């Protein structure tokens, strides 16, 4: 069964829900999920609505055109997708395997319903993991003084493989504005701290030094402002004075992979909307 | 500012959201919150919608009558309330003070926007707490072999004080069908375990004996089936082998009062809908 | 039953546990709890040991003197207390009542086994709460440009009432080095964020603006470095895009009072040891 | 660096810690970790102590013999192991891959420092996963009416591969007393509920039907009493009325693999002691 998913943001005003749901109802669509939110402070309206396409009287390829007038009337920013369209995801890694294994195991058991044409890394270490799962592995070394040429090579690969979005699964490299511009709100990173605490390098060492009683991990869309992009998901785990930095690293890995996987899941399901450097997650 | 809150459940079918929101829009209502849910297995539709009454063109006392035809059309069970109506809450206690103090402190700081005309207890211990807050305290002793007469006395008090709903804040007594019938889905209990684990008496002793690594508390609507009513809220805390039964009791108290307070908050805000012995919480 | 509690920190070396436990055993003490920790990075040893005084052959007032030679041998920093000694706690507040109510309710039910001779505030708002519980309330206004005179007045009150430690229960004022010096590691604060995230003013507003998915509260010993003292306890709660700043404040209050109460509990039980701006909590 | 790990349980009495630590100290051992616990209700003493073998004056193979007299004196049940001894772990699975992948990824990155000679299954589905990691896969079909012959085949395989302990990574079969007897407190299971809630089959369906607001997973040692063995680790995740049974299954999988991995980690590190059907975890 295929469904249509419509994501909307626009200035709040009366009649928004009525108009959108009337459009769906008038063409025999049955709503499966509807979630809306009003940011009262900013007076912005957000909605995600999903409906059954089975008896919908407008063919899939014409829905956008027919919805357009309503969108224009309410000044909407909107995105229409269909559950039948499988997205293409690339994974960038460095040397740590845990988040990569976790994503690939979810993909192989079809919990993560995407295609993965490509794994990219600045090191060779994880080529074997890619091979285990029969996925193409591309080694693209990164020169810290010339990120541009590596990024151009990466962008070419992504274009060639028609990649829709990129997951940085502990890819410990800075990604520049040049790269990000091609995938706005479509690059998902996992940072190994409870942001905004412990931005930057070695967050577990920072957490250990500060003596926190809880550590966290944060998945966010990548923006040019390091570790400051819109947060999609976070989670935490309790630690004690007995935990060494190595213990924090070990415990943190479980957080990292779980939090990243949830963020990817929300993205794949079109459950996220970015506004004002924040992510609305219709969970 | 007053708002209207409409809670609906009915068989799912196309046009439900469109019709309800069109009703609101047509009379100049602006939706503040809308949350809906479809139980796909049971094919039942649930909705909570809240709209601003400021410019609504139907006067408060006529809204129900005007909505009636839509409700009939879709076979709805529904409830309409207004945020301006202050509810009256009674608290039943026995000897433990923590949950009572917590509710009263929230009430006094106006976090809990209700009237509390009455505290009822089968013991005298907490009369002083009621006095601290200037609330009437009624001692109604309970004879385990004749609960009926105590319950009749309680019901008379509740009627006299026009109580809308009852909170059992560690009221360690069985409440019979006779009593419950008068307040269906309007008696909120706190049970000191993570239900359905450890039903009945002495759940902390049971938890200690079983060696669980996490304990919990559960707030639910009271039904005639002991500790088996629809769950409103639960929470848990981690424990270890070092925790004695007394430690579990101490840690559990913090859960109990917090979980109960959240459940009461949801109830007061008309965020709960009971169906099939489960509670939908539009949190 | 009274017990002795010994807290030790010193350079790590073989024989530490053997010597201390031999001392206890040789005088017929039975160990109730023993918890030790070695900071391998700093090579520092920490221990908390509690033993039954019932058959201990050294009288309470002579224990310290008899232990002294062992302490000297190992270069220990140490503290000896007895469970029979009731501590005296002062509470500083401003206008918010939730943490104050929570502490007082715990005190009244004897969960918190301390004496509370004094509540101090820079406002009059909570005088009524103090009166409810029959505790002396002292209003000490604070002039932001002359904190010294207020602090001198506060110190005089604390001295007069023989206060052992101070709890800042949402006392929204800066405490200066002048004051702190008199109560090193004996002033407990609650900060309404998951430190080190959102230091300083209006942390819930900061959290809302950053779009975090989890908020927290942190209890710490007060040092002259604002919100940077050694952390005793933290906890968190999940939030969503639906939560307004007011919702964060409401949810956060439950965290604040619970986290503060746990920190106070650990302190009262002599379960905390500060080292290197971190708190070892023998929970 | 190798260390010795001593696990003790015995009737509590004065001098236990002093004697054991004196034994270590007298032979130049430096304690790395010491954790002890007294079950005051049962009057039983438990201890885990780990010390550096580097300068220990007793050779590894003679430590047990030299400690024996102390053990006898205090009527100890005890176990001595050395961190240099690598354990051999077998994994039993059925059809679900998530917990298996998770264990194997931890093993491959050396987070889990064991040898895995063998994966056993009653189905063929996961043979490919075993092959990905180069581990021997044995298919042992189970006839529900004659479990004995399958178990005998399994026991022969375990003996042949000198397996120390067995992990049931979603092995959805009953294991009989006949099998368990060979590996007492050395078979670790993961049950997909927060035990003791939802014992037996289809716990997620049970949880959905009961309308709980939190689901959990429990790892425990297997005893002949189904799902009632001593609990090693548990964890939970919040769910809502929006979550279908399928959502619970998906969310639960993350719990299952993490909880199981933690339990296995504690076991491998000799941090667990079973007493009275409860597990003391020196975490």
């Amino acid at each position: 069964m295929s469904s249509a998913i419509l994501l909307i943001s626009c200035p709040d005003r009366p009649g928004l829900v009525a108009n959108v749901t009337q459009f769906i109802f008038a063409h025999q669509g049955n709503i499966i999920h509807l979630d809306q939110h009003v940011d009262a402070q900013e007076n912005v309206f957000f909605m995600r609505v999903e409906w059954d396409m089975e008896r919908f009287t407008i063919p899939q390829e014409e829905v956008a055109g027919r919805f357009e007038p309503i969108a224009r009337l309410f000044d909407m920013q909107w995105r229409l997708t269909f559950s039948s369209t499988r997205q293409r995801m690339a994974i960038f890694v460095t040397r740590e395997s845990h988040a990569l294994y976790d994503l690939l195991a979810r993909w192989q058991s079809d919990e993560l319903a995407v295609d993965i044409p490509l794994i990219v890394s600045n090191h060779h270490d994880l080529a074997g993991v890619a091979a285990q799962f029969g996925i193409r592995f591309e080694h693209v070394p990164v020169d810290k003084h010339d990120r541009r040429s590596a990024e151009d090579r990466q962008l070419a690969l992504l274009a060639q493989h028609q990649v829709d979005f990129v997951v940085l699964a502990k890819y410990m490299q800075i990604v520049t504005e040049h790269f990000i511009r091609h995938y706005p709100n479509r690059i998902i990173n996992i940072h190994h701290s409870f942001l905004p605490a412990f931005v930057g390098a070695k967050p577990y060492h920072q957490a250990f030094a500060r003596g926190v009683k809880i550590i966290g991990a944060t998945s966010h869309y990548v923006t040019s402002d390091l570790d400051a992009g819109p947060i999609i998901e976070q989670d935490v785990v309790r630690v004690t004075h007995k935990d060494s930095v190595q213990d924090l690293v070990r415990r943190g890995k479980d957080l990292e992979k779980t939090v990243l996987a949830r963020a990817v899941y929300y993205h794949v399901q079109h459950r996220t909307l970015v506004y004002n450097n924040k992510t609305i997650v219709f969970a």
Side-chain angles (χ1 to χ4, degrees), chain A residues 73-180:
Chain A
L73 186 67
F74 286 95
D75 232 344
M76 293 177 179
Q77 293 203 274
W78 58 294
R79 215 161 75 219
L80 178 73
T81 52
F82 298 94
S83 66
S84 52
T85 312
R86 210 171 164 91
Q87 294 167 79
R88 295 172 68 78
M89 167 175 120
I91 307 177
F92 281 34
V93 293
T94 292
R95 284 186 152 138
E96 285 183 283
S97 65
H98 60 288
L100 178 61
Y101 263 126
D102 192 69
L103 288 170
L104 295 180
R106 289 171 199 270
W107 166 75
Q108 193 150 86
S109 68
D110 216 36
E111 177 190 314
L112 191 53
V114 296
D115 293 327
I116 307 181
L118 192 63
I119 295 169
V120 175
S121 180
N122 55 331
H123 286 89
H124 290 282
D125 308 52
L126 301 180
V129 179
Q132 275 186 314
F133 290 82
I135 296 175
R136 184 186 189 89
F137 181 88
E138 290 282 352
H139 176 238
V140 181
V142 175
D143 175 350
K144 286 189 178 184
H145 305 294
D146 174 21
R147 295 191 181 275
R148 182 64 176 257
S149 48
E151 290 192 345
D152 281 337
R153 170 88 185 105
Q154 292 164 347
L155 287 168
L157 285 164
L158 297 178
Q160 175 195 338
H161 291 279
Q162 296 169 281
V163 164
D164 292 307
F165 70 103
V166 178
V167 174
L168 309 184
K170 302 282 299 197
Y171 177 65
M172 313 298 279
Q173 293 294 316
I174 286 165
V175 177
T176 76
E177 176 62 26
H178 169 63
F179 184 94
I180 297 165

Side-chain angles (χ1 to χ4, degrees), chain A residues 40-282:
Chain A
Q41 202 170 296
E42 305 278 342
N43 199 45
V44 182
F45 172 89
F46 304 92
M47 187 160 79
R48 181 187 187 273
V49 57
E50 182 171 357
W51 70 92
D52 192 343
M53 286 297 288
E54 202 182 332
R55 295 182 208 165
F56 202 58
T57 55
I58 311 178
Q60 191 165 308
E61 59 282 9
E62 292 176 26
V63 179
R66 300 284 291 275
F67 183 69
E68 177 77 51
I70 297 174
R72 221 163 21 215
L73 186 67
F74 286 95
D75 232 344
M76 293 177 179
Q77 293 203 274
W78 58 294
R79 215 161 75 219
L80 178 73
T81 52
F82 298 94
S83 66
S84 52
T85 312
R86 210 171 164 91
Q87 294 167 79
R88 295 172 68 78
M89 167 175 120
I91 307 177
F92 281 34
V93 293
T94 292
R95 284 186 152 138
E96 285 183 283
S97 65
H98 60 288
L100 178 61
Y101 263 126
D102 192 69
L103 288 170
L104 295 180
R106 289 171 199 270
W107 166 75
Q108 193 150 86
S109 68
D110 216 36
E111 177 190 314
L112 191 53
V114 296
D115 293 327
I116 307 181
L118 192 63
I119 295 169
V120 175
S121 180
N122 55 331
H123 286 89
H124 290 282
D125 308 52
L126 301 180
V129 179
Q132 275 186 314
F133 290 82
I135 296 175
R136 184 186 189 89
F137 181 88
E138 290 282 352
H139 176 238
V140 181
V142 175
D143 175 350
K144 286 189 178 184
H145 305 294
D146 174 21
R147 295 191 181 275
R148 182 64 176 257
S149 48
E151 290 192 345
D152 281 337
R153 170 88 185 105
Q154 292 164 347
L155 287 168
L157 285 164
L158 297 178
Q160 175 195 338
H161 291 279
Q162 296 169 281
V163 164
D164 292 307
F165 70 103
V166 178
V167 174
L168 309 184
K170 302 282 299 197
Y171 177 65
M172 313 298 279
Q173 293 294 316
I174 286 165
V175 177
T176 76
E177 176 62 26
H178 169 63
F179 184 94
I180 297 165
R181 192 185 317 135
H182 291 79
Y183 293 90
N185 297 331
R186 287 190 287 145
I187 307 169
I188 300 171
N189 186 41
I190 180 71
H191 183 76
H192 39 314
S193 88
F194 182 78
L195 289 175
F198 311 130
V199 167
K202 293 192 171 289
Y204 292 125
H205 289 78
Q206 294 182 52
F208 180 79
R210 182 64 187 90
V212 291
K213 300 303 184 188
I214 287 172
I215 58 168
T218 304
S219 189
H220 61 93
Y221 287 115
V222 175
T223 60
S224 53
D225 195 356
L226 183 68
D227 298 335
I231 294 169
I232 308 168
E233 174 66 345
Q234 302 186 289
D235 212 342
V236 295
V237 70
R238 198 164 271 277
V239 297
T240 77
H241 62 269
K242 291 188 197 173
D243 290 298
S244 64
V245 171
Q246 288 70 39
D247 291 322
L248 300 192
V249 169
R250 178 176 50 81
R251 288 171 188 265
K253 280 180 177 176
D254 285 355
L255 285 178
E256 294 164 19
K257 69 188 190 192
T258 309
V259 167
L260 179 59
R262 283 191 212 139
V264 170
Y265 180 83
Y266 292 140
H267 182 87
V268 169
Q269 297 242 328
H270 307 290
R271 294 182 178 276
T272 60
L273 248 177
V274 171
Y275 179 79
N276 236 355
N277 204 43
K278 302 205 274 190
T279 311
I280 286 151
V281 179
F282 296 113

